[in-house]
Amino acid sequence: MRPAVVSLVVVSHSRALAEAAVGLATQMLHGPTRPHVEVAAGLEDGGLGTDAGAVARAVSRADALGGGAGVLVLVDLGSAVLSAEMALELLDPEVAARVRLSPAPLVEGLLAAVVTAAGGADLDTCAREADAGLRAKDEHLRDPRGGVASAPAEASETGATTPPASSLELAVTAEHGLHARPAARLVACAAGRAPRTTLRLRNLTAGRGPVDGLSLSAVATLDAQQGHVLLAEAVGPEAEQLLAELEELALMGFGDLPGPAEPLAEVDVPAPAVSTEPGVAGSGLEAAIGPAVRVESVLETADDHAGSVPEEHQRLADAVAGVRARLGELAEQARRHLGQGEAEVFEAHATLLQDPRITEAAHARIEAGEPAAEAWSAAVRAAAEAFATLADPYQRERGQDVHGVGDRVVRMLLGLEEPESTAHGVLVVDELDPALAISLDASKVQGVLTRNGGTTGHGVLIATARGVPVLTGVGDRADVPDGTVVAFDARSGDLVVDPEPALREAFEEMVSARSRERGRALRHARSPAVTTDGVRVRVKANVSSLAVARLGADLGAEGSGLVRTEAVFAQWRQAPSVDQQVEVYAAMAAVYHPHPVTIRTWDVGGDKPLPFHPVPVEGNPFLGARGLRAFVEDPSLLLDQLQAVCTVAVDHPLAVLFPMITTVQDVRWARELLATAARRAGLSAPPPGLQVGIMVEVPAAALGIAHLAQGLDLVSIGSNDLVQYTLAAERGNPRLAAWSDALDPAVLSLVRSVTDGVPEGVRVGLCGAMAGDPDLAGLLVGLGVQELSASAASVPLVKQRLRTGSTAEFGDLAARALACPDGASVRALVQEAQPTPTVRLSGPRAVGTAR
Ligand code: PEP
Ligand code: MG
């Protein structure tokens, strides 16, 4: 049998480059052991670029052929790194755990790794050797007798050292490309840091360069046209500063872009039903077709044979310990792929296994003679039922977590397989618990249908984050024999069983078209969103943690339009101090520099508990002391927060937003608090760079915006709440989904009333879930919204959609939507306007929709 040998995967923009590098590396091998080397390079159409799906497939093959010894992935530049990182999320977590992404230079790293792997070394050793791959060249060039002169672009002033280049991709967005004037600005920018710091440029799209960034004529030879991507490599002590300046310059089209979007005439908006933001990389596909695979809970059917009472106690203790160990592994996977916040979900689940309400009840039943599995099932069902009685829909969905964890213990007791091991197709489950969501193989599972539960369950958020489409709350409509083909579109909520061949074909084509579109969007994620008539629309990310902020920045978000501070600190038992908040907000600001970050003040109450600021129990919390209102009696916590905001805003571009504003008195009070907080921060007034704004979530605020927004810098429409207050349908309540339609023309009219009524110079953004629906991006801009703040995962696709139309087209769409009689007509209108048309799963076989 072939021994397990570490495999290599080469990820490059260019297939020719990757193959040549592999050819060179394999010439170094002389012995019988040859590591397996996969190439994931270039695009399907032969163009330059990388594709996360192709990388994931290459890694899977490499892993299988290497016998599980591990896979080292070497990447060339920029977005190749992003593709490789995304590929990890697409992989079976078990495979992903055996993969390392190497920061080593491609050619040198590959040579070192191939030779080391062929020698039988383990993955860590191969990775270390790859990292050190530059050593020989570096030492040679540092040696004054080395005889190889540094290229001019790499020469430092002293000539003593050649530090590694820092690099950055720059999008060329100006209509006429990098013609003389923008090129001159670029060269002037580089000259500002020369000679100590030098710049080399390549045109990655056209495969031209490198050229010296100080030479105008050389830069001209790059033939950089609109849509091309340049690679800037800076060497020297001010390399990072130079790249930051270039990035800023590039964002402004090297000085050639028109200004921000102007509000347009007639337009209007649609919106998804109940929706939340997973906060981590999402699918953008949201549609699936494949054979149904039912994964049934065994909680109801646990049928066990009792041993002696002590034996049953022991069996239960062993099973609980086994599941706890498994949850530990899953927490680790979640931490690696999704971030600390998601890992904590599993840690919380592990504590459910020790919940005395469950364990004591189960052991008491065993004592009374019940077999372990039955006793445990009964105790778990009783605990889960307690959740079902809770008023808050989000809390109610936590009952799913109890079911999921409980089910795993029963499976272990009965010697049944874990639910994920059967997964291949479209899973049909009662509820999607987080453990199943993180452990299912995203390359085999086309999608998940849940009979119960809404969209806010942890499992749904995790699966969506992993790129697995999910349609929730379909009831018994998915109760079909295993193997029956089912198709669903989570965007429209349609589900169809056993589609006709023609529909099946059309739907499969749509799923792959969405996949291609997402690939394109990811490749251009860092480029600005510019409409076809040259209007730039900023797309920002909604942020609930530092990890999400980083993800948003990686996916091309141009700042954050909404930091949900109550979510950032949701796990804290005690209120963060001013200094602790300064640290967090400054870190977020640094992630997005030079783009601004928008801190929303504590938005507590309603569905948002904050452990360190409990709100009194109210009969109707959504209409109660929510948001700003929660601090009227004691504003000290809010003052601390505003003090931190003022402190950070001295050095960073920052905006502050006040939630749940209804009256001009609210705005006045908020501004007084801000002035007080500035004084507490040792300032005479709020820093001039701090932009001040309000959320528009209440219809009264939308209608009275002309008064409320006087003297403000921005307003941000919180469409999630605006929808619930306009349509009197509690957000998050799946039973009210039919009423909770953000596309209702009444909601669109209110959006329009904000963009029409806002005083001149006040920017209008939108940060509810609508902003993350790519289908709605054009409509919102057509309604006059100037910037969108979306879930981080949606940013690339939202930008991509904005690039497909002109402001006139979007304005026309909005005008027609405003004239529609209902949300369904608006949705149909919006669908017609999409570049990737949605295949509706309607017709005689359709089984209805989930919304
Ligand atoms: C909104 O209401 O749309 C919003 C963005 O705020 P949240 O969802 O946090 O209430
Ligand atoms: Mg809100």
Side-chain angles (χ1 to χ4, degrees):
M1 198 175 106
R2 190 184 196 267
V5 176
V6 170
S7 303
L8 292 311
V9 172
V10 178
V11 181
S12 167
H13 284 72
S14 153
R15 184 149 198 104
L17 170 67
E19 284 174 350
V22 173
L24 192 61
T26 46
Q27 280 189 9
M28 308 290 149
L29 300 177
H30 304 292
T33 309
R34 302 178 84 83
H36 186 76
V37 186
E38 282 282 336
V39 165
L43 301 178
E44 256 175 35
D45 61 6
L48 295 175
T50 56
D51 173 347
V55 177
R57 288 190 293 278
V59 171
S60 290
R61 278 194 303 273
D63 179 63
L65 291 165
V71 180
L72 187 66
V73 180
L74 291 125
V75 295
D76 63 4
L77 334 145
S79 58
V81 181
L82 196 60
S83 296
E85 284 175 337
M86 294 210 55
L88 284 189
E89 287 173 14
L90 301 176
L91 287 169
D92 177 343
E94 256 182 50
V95 175
R98 292 192 288 269
V99 179
R100 296 264 191 298
L101 303 187
S102 169
L106 184 67
V107 176
E108 290 89 342
L110 181 64
L111 254 66
V114 162
V115 173
T116 314
D122 64 13
L123 183 57
D124 284 336
T125 312
C126 292
R128 246 192 336 271
E129 284 304 304
D131 288 355
L134 263 190
R135 203 168 37 206
K137 189 159 80 179
D138 188 43
E139 280 168 9
H140 178 77
L141 291 175
R142 281 165 198 262
D143 182 347
R145 294 159 301 158
V148 180
S150 296
E154 289 177 351
S156 70
E157 195 180 38
T158 62
T161 60
T162 304
S166 305
S167 65
L168 181 72
E169 285 184 16
L170 303 170
V172 179
T173 52
E175 192 185 348
H176 302 295
L178 206 58
H179 63 92
R181 212 172 40 238
R185 287 194 195 100
L186 184 152
V187 171
C189 181
R193 300 282 175 186
R196 283 162 56 75
T197 299
T198 57
L199 178 70
R200 237 175 9 192
L201 292 165
R202 294 166 205 265
N203 182 338
L204 293 179
T205 316
R208 289 171 176 260
V211 300
D212 182 352
L214 281 175
S215 160
L216 189 59
S217 57
V219 171
T221 64
L222 290 175
D223 193 23
Q225 294 163 17
Q226 187 180 36
H228 283 193
V229 177
L230 305 183
L231 180 77
E233 291 172 299
V235 179
E238 293 170 350
E240 295 301 334
Q241 290 95 318
L242 173 57
L243 292 180
E245 287 159 6
L246 287 171
E247 186 177 28
E248 200 166 348
L249 195 58
L251 284 170
M252 292 155 41
F254 297 97
D256 252 16
L257 269 193
E262 292 297 327
L264 301 167
E266 308 288 296
V267 192
D268 65 278
V269 186
V274 183
S275 157
T276 59
E277 292 162 353
V280 269
S283 70
L285 300 175
E286 300 145 10
I289 182 163
V293 183
R294 290 164 62 148
V295 182
E296 306 294 349
S297 163
V298 293
L299 273 180
E300 304 289 339
T301 53
D303 182 11
D304 202 3
H305 298 289
S308 70
V309 168
E311 278 168 3
E312 292 302 285
H313 283 309
Q314 191 55 48
R315 281 181 66 220
L316 180 57
D318 290 348
V320 167
V323 172
R324 191 173 317 123
R326 175 73 175 136
L327 290 175
E329 288 166 19
L330 296 178
E332 201 35 53
Q333 277 174 23
R335 185 171 293 109
R336 250 196 337 266
H337 300 301
L338 301 171
Q340 179 60 18
E342 299 306 328
E344 279 164 12
V345 171
F346 294 95
E347 283 154 14
H349 285 192
T351 63
L352 281 176
L353 293 170
Q354 291 160 307
D355 183 336
R357 204 169 42 171
I358 302 176
T359 53
E360 283 171 16
H363 283 289
R365 282 172 171 270
I366 290 175
E367 210 51 47
E370 279 188 27
E374 288 174 38
W376 175 260
S377 294
V380 165
R381 275 184 275 131
E385 271 161 28
F387 281 86
T389 62
L390 298 179
D392 181 304
Y394 181 82
Q395 294 295 343
R396 271 200 304 275
E397 290 195 13
R398 303 283 76 78
Q400 295 174 17
D401 303 348
V402 179
H403 268 139
V405 174
D407 184 71
R408 279 182 186 265
V409 174
V410 176
R411 283 175 184 271
M412 191 150 295
L413 280 165
L414 301 182
L416 301 173
E417 284 185 323
E418 289 178 320
E420 57 270 21
S421 58
T422 56
H424 204 317
V426 174
L427 302 193
V428 180
V429 295
D430 281 338
E431 292 158 343
L432 180 56
D433 74 285
L436 177 56
I438 189 83
S439 51
L440 53 76
D441 182 343
S443 64
K444 294 188 192 142
V445 173
Q446 275 96 27
V448 180
L449 290 169
T450 79
R451 293 190 187 90
N452 309 316
T455 55
T456 60
H458 276 133
V460 176
L461 299 184
I462 289 175
T464 315
R466 298 190 60 218
V468 179
V470 183
L471 184 63
T472 61
V474 299
D476 56 12
R477 291 181 293 144
D479 282 345
V480 295
D482 272 350
T484 312
V485 172
V486 290
F488 71 81
D489 184 355
R491 283 193 198 165
S492 63
D494 286 354
L495 163 66
V496 69
V497 174
D498 193 15
E500 303 290 347
L503 180 58
R504 191 183 295 193
E505 205 178 304
F507 195 75
E508 277 167 355
E509 172 49 33
M510 181 191 77
V511 171
S512 58
R514 285 193 188 173
S515 156
R516 287 194 299 273
E517 186 190 18
R518 178 144 184 91
R520 238 187 344 268
L522 284 172
R523 283 196 294 283
H524 298 289
R526 300 291 189 108
S527 307
V530 181
T531 60
T532 54
D533 54 336
V535 175
R536 167 96 178 264
V537 182
R538 280 175 207 274
V539 182
K540 303 179 176 181
N542 288 353
V543 161
S544 53
S545 68
L546 192 54
V548 172
R550 291 201 188 98
L551 182 78
D554 285 350
L555 292 173
E558 301 159 291
S560 169
L562 173 67
V563 176
R564 288 186 164 103
T565 54
E566 67 285 347
V568 174
F569 294 103
Q571 311 297 332
W572 292 48
R573 282 169 192 251
Q574 286 183 342
S577 67
V578 173
D579 287 348
Q580 285 168 324
Q581 291 184 64
V582 166
E583 202 176 313
V584 172
Y585 305 150
M588 288 177 176
V591 166
Y592 283 110
H593 183 85
H595 304 294
V597 163
T598 308
I599 306 293
R600 181 178 68 186
T601 61
W602 310 117
D603 189 19
V604 297
D607 57 346
K608 296 176 188 160
L610 195 59
F612 47 85
H613 190 73
V615 286
V617 177
E618 295 172 304
N620 196 340
F622 276 113
L623 298 182
R626 245 196 114 188
L628 189 74
R629 302 172 183 182
F631 298 93
V632 170
E633 278 158 27
D634 177 7
S636 48
L637 196 62
L638 182 53
L639 277 169
D640 279 356
Q641 186 174 42
L642 292 172
Q643 183 181 338
V645 165
C646 288
T647 307
V648 176
V650 171
D651 299 319
H652 299 277
L654 221 63
V656 62
L657 276 181
F658 293 98
M660 204 52 194
I661 292 284
T662 314
T663 64
V664 283
Q665 284 75 18
D666 289 345
V667 183
R668 197 173 306 137
W669 186 61
R671 300 202 74 154
E672 281 165 15
L673 287 179
L674 186 61
T676 308
R679 284 193 293 280
R680 281 178 36 172
L683 307 165
S684 56
L690 175 63
Q691 303 188 3
V692 182
I694 57 171
M695 300 279 295
V696 180
E697 295 161 300
V698 178
L703 296 170
I705 198 68
H707 301 293
L708 267 63
Q710 280 299 337
L712 296 178
D713 301 298
L714 72 153
V715 301
S716 187
I717 300 171
S719 53
N720 303 339
D721 278 313
L722 188 61
V723 170
Q724 77 161 343
Y725 293 131
T726 306
L727 301 166
E730 180 195 321
R731 63 192 279 187
N733 183 341
R735 286 166 57 209
L736 299 181
W739 286 269
S740 189
D741 189 350
L743 294 183
D744 192 293
V747 176
L748 307 186
S749 299
L750 286 172
V751 172
R752 185 55 180 226
S753 123
V754 176
T755 59
D756 273 352
V758 80
E760 206 175 325
V762 179
R763 267 180 10 253
V764 180
L766 189 142
C767 60
M770 289 173 90
D773 185 337
D775 288 357
L776 307 188
L779 179 57
L780 291 173
V781 168
L783 281 171
V785 174
Q786 291 162 295
E787 55 183 56
L788 301 173
S789 192
S791 61
S794 326
V795 168
L797 217 45
V798 170
K799 281 177 140 184
Q800 186 65 19
R801 284 294 170 86
L802 290 169
R803 296 183 188 114
T804 62
S806 70
T807 48
E809 286 159 355
F810 295 151
D812 179 56
L813 173 66
R816 287 189 289 138
L818 279 171
C820 282
D822 58 16
S825 327
V826 177
R827 188 166 288 107
L829 202 60
V830 166
Q831 281 306 332
E832 265 171 38
Q834 301 313 320
T836 309
T838 295
V839 174
R840 291 307 304 262
L841 292 166
S842 50
R845 310 292 293 264
V847 288
T849 74
R851 60 168 94 213

